[in-house]
Amino acid sequence: RYSAPFFKEFVVQAPVDPGKIVHELSRQNIHAGLDLRRFPDLDLDDCLLIAVTERRTKAQIDAFVSALGAFSS
């Protein structure tokens, strides 16, 4: 959603309801990020906050990206 540099966390605009993404991926044991609808003052109702840190392996990140692809329009 933004083009500025980031460190570990970034916002992505979801192609579908972000709550649906969080719910569906949790069923696959994938933490999809934070549904930003929880913070109405931010005006990011269609976005997820995603964090990528050293606690996730490349395989976990690849699985997350692949699972997100199922939601693309």
Side-chain angles (χ1 to χ4, degrees), residues 14-63:
V16 299
D17 177 349
K20 178 179 180 177
I21 294 172
V22 170
H23 177 73
E24 291 296 322
L25 295 189
S26 71
R27 298 170 85 196
Q28 300 175 44
N29 283 337
I30 297 173
H31 180 65
L34 180 65
D35 178 356
L36 291 177
R37 290 180 304 171
R38 297 175 54 184
F39 306 97
D41 294 346
L42 296 178
D43 193 29
L44 297 171
D45 290 347
D46 59 346
C47 296
L48 289 169
L49 178 66
I50 297 174
V52 180
T53 69
E54 69 281 357
R55 296 189 66 193
R56 300 291 170 234
T57 65
K58 181 178 182 329
Q60 288 173 313
I61 294 168
D62 289 345

